[in-house]
């Protein structure tokens, strides 16, 4: 056989292999369709009436409270249940209602309306019980129409991706695990971390007096610091900026906030006679502060700092 024929046959074989491989690769890539989309249509962001979070440990409802036309800001309050059996009134079921942090609710809604990349998964190819959904989010509009109903899995075996199921369409997607922080927010993520409200922090000069009550062995010692006093400003600046990222589980609040565990009370009064109270507790070697209707867990360093005020 001539060398030219051998070369031609070899070239033909190589081209055939390349063509087949190219077609196979194209089909493989087409099986994994990428979608660039938002989980919640942005046009619904101003129409959200209720958000429900159902996790393995708790059941949380964020409900629209009112709209401030001046600030154009929506406020939500939160109902927290320490059980999924929230409609069954057992003694061990805890239900509390708290004011949400507007910044956190706005950030969550913004994240849900952001455009992200999702890989569509062929649900038929999944084995039974291959995906375990651990978190569930439902969003309702002001007309009680369900705008979103999503279930989220934990990270897959690679630890890099999660599965998302749209329960309204039965479509399943996979997404980068980095997105899971938006989908797995807990009740405490929507609460204010500061011990005093933002409006007071932004207007410290409105504070007129501070009442401090020290409690030791059941005896209370009270003192009042007036605005024109020597220690007033320094003590005020020690108190107002304090915050904590840890919130005690509501089911433990009654146990922690017993009178015997109370060690200090501080009341701040502004020029409109509004009172802002915080209370310090020490329980079983742990330290807590009650403020704005929330019980925060604090470090020993923070506890001693407040105790010294």
């Amino acid at each position: 056989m001539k060398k030219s024929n051998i070369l031609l046959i070899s070239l033909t074989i190589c081209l055939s292999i390349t063509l087949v491989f190219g077609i196979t690769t194209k089909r493989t890539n087409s099986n994994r369709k990428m979608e660039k989309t938002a989980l919640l249509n942005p046009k619904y962001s101003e129409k959200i009436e209720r958000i429900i979070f159902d996790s393995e440990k708790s059941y949380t409802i964020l409900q629209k409270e009112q709209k401030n036309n001046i600030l154009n800001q929506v406020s939500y309050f939160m109902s927290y249940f320490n059980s999924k059996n929230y409609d069954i009134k057992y003694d061990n079921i805890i239900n509390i209602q708290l004011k949400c942090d507007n910044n956190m609710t706005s950030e969550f809604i913004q994240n849900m309306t952001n455009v992200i990349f999702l890989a569509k998964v062929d649900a038929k190819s999944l084995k039974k019980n291959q995906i375990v959904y651990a978190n569930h989010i439902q969003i309702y509009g002001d007309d009680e129409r369900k705008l979103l109903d999503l279930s989220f899995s934990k990270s897959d075996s690679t630890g890099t991706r999660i599965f998302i199921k749209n329960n309204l369409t039965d479509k399943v997607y996979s997404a980068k695990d980095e997105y899971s922080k938006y989908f797995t927010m807990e009740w405490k993520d929507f609460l204010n971390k500061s011990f005093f409200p933002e409006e007071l922090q932004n207007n410290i000069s409105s504070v007129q007096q501070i009442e401090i009550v020290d409690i030791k062995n059941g005896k209370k010692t009270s003192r009042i610091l007036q605005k024109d006093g020597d220690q007033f400003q320094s003590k005020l600046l020690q108190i107002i900026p304090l915050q904590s990222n840890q919130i005690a589980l509501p089911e433990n609040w009654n146990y922690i906030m017993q009178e015997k565990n109370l060690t200090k009370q501080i009341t701040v009064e502004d020029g409109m006679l509004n009172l802002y109270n915080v209370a310090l507790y020490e329980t079983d070697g742990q330290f807590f502060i009650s403020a704005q209707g929330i019980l925060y867990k604090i470090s020993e360093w923070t506890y001693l700092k407040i105790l010294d005020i």
Side-chain angles (χ1 to χ4, degrees):
M1 185 179 291
K2 293 182 179 180
K3 289 184 178 180
S4 58
N5 290 338
I6 294 174
L7 182 60
L8 182 60
I9 293 171
S10 300
L11 183 60
T12 302
I13 293 172
C14 289
L15 287 172
S16 299
I17 292 173
T18 302
L19 182 61
V20 171
F21 179 77
I23 293 172
T24 303
T25 302
K26 186 177 180 180
R27 286 177 178 171
T28 301
N29 289 334
S30 66
N31 287 337
R32 186 182 179 185
K33 295 180 180 178
M34 297 297 293
E35 291 188 15
K36 188 179 180 182
T37 184
L39 294 174
L40 177 68
N41 192 321
K43 71 178 182 181
Y44 296 133
S45 61
E46 299 295 326
K47 299 179 180 180
I48 296 174
E49 180 71 20
R50 188 167 71 256
I51 306 172
I52 299 175
F53 297 85
D54 188 357
S55 70
E56 294 176 301
K57 296 181 180 179
S58 64
Y59 189 96
T60 304
I61 302 173
L62 269 57
Q63 181 76 36
K64 184 187 289 186
E65 185 178 26
Q66 61 185 0
K67 186 168 183 176
N68 186 323
N69 293 323
I70 298 175
L71 298 175
N72 195 31
Q73 188 175 58
V74 174
S75 296
Y76 289 85
F77 67 88
M78 183 188 73
S79 294
Y80 162 88
F81 301 85
N82 68 326
S83 170
K84 291 185 179 182
N85 296 320
Y86 63 96
D87 56 342
I88 302 175
K89 304 302 180 184
Y90 291 131
D91 290 339
N92 62 337
I93 301 295
I94 303 297
N95 174 19
I96 59 170
Q97 291 190 355
L98 299 167
K99 182 81 164 50
C100 291
D101 183 329
N102 285 327
N103 293 327
M104 294 307 299
T105 52
S106 297
E107 182 180 331
F108 169 77
I109 293 171
Q110 181 62 54
N111 287 330
M112 299 304 284
T113 57
N114 284 341
V115 173
I116 61 175
F117 285 96
L118 298 174
K120 191 174 179 181
V121 177
D122 183 3
K124 294 180 181 178
S125 66
L126 297 173
K127 297 178 181 178
K128 189 178 181 180
N129 300 325
Q130 182 177 345
I131 303 175
V132 177
Y133 294 104
N135 298 280
H136 186 199
I137 294 175
Q138 299 175 73
I139 297 180
Y140 291 83
D142 49 19
D143 57 357
E144 285 300 310
R145 184 161 62 98
K146 188 179 285 188
L147 305 176
L148 194 68
D149 189 339
L150 301 174
S151 295
F152 304 94
S153 74
K154 296 180 180 179
S155 300
D156 63 9
S157 57
T158 67
T160 60
R161 302 190 71 82
I162 60 171
F163 289 100
I164 303 171
K165 182 181 179 182
N166 186 331
N167 296 307
L168 298 179
T169 63
D170 282 333
K171 291 182 179 179
V172 179
Y173 302 90
S174 72
K176 292 181 180 178
D177 185 57
E178 63 189 59
Y179 294 134
S180 65
K181 61 185 177 182
Y182 304 139
F183 312 142
T184 57
M185 294 181 74
E186 296 184 89
W187 59 275
K188 57 187 177 183
D189 295 319
F190 293 97
L191 298 180
N192 200 313
K193 305 303 186 293
S194 300
F195 302 155
F196 292 92
E198 187 176 359
E199 56 267 25
L200 185 65
Q201 295 183 56
N202 294 335
N203 191 20
I204 293 182
S205 60
S206 68
V207 177
Q208 300 300 306
Q209 73 171 32
I210 307 168
E211 182 180 8
I212 303 171
V213 179
D214 295 296
I215 304 159
K216 192 172 183 179
N217 298 325
K219 295 182 180 180
K220 296 184 177 182
T221 305
S222 178
R223 51 198 164 100
I224 295 178
L225 303 179
Q226 300 288 350
K227 189 168 186 177
D228 55 358
D230 294 336
Q231 294 184 314
F232 179 84
Q233 194 65 24
S234 62
K235 296 295 184 184
L236 185 63
L237 292 175
Q238 280 182 269
I239 300 169
I240 300 298
L242 291 173
Q243 59 180 318
S244 173
N245 289 320
Q246 296 188 65
I247 297 174
L249 285 174
E251 46 264 46
N252 298 329
W253 287 12
N254 288 337
Y255 172 74
I256 295 168
M257 296 170 65
Q258 295 181 76
E259 187 72 22
K260 65 178 183 179
N261 300 324
L262 183 63
T263 58
K264 197 181 195 79
Q265 293 174 306
I266 299 175
T267 302
V268 174
E269 181 180 325
D270 66 12
M272 301 298 292
L273 302 182
N274 295 313
L275 301 178
Y276 305 92
N277 303 298
V278 298
L280 210 57
Y281 297 89
E282 180 179 358
T283 310
D284 300 333
Q286 298 184 77
F287 309 97
F288 305 88
I289 186 168
S290 172
Q292 298 200 73
I294 302 169
L295 186 65
Y296 301 88
K297 185 177 181 181
I298 56 177
S299 67
E300 184 177 6
W301 181 87
T302 302
Y303 173 81
L304 292 174
K305 184 178 180 180
I306 300 172
L307 199 65
D308 191 48
I309 292 174

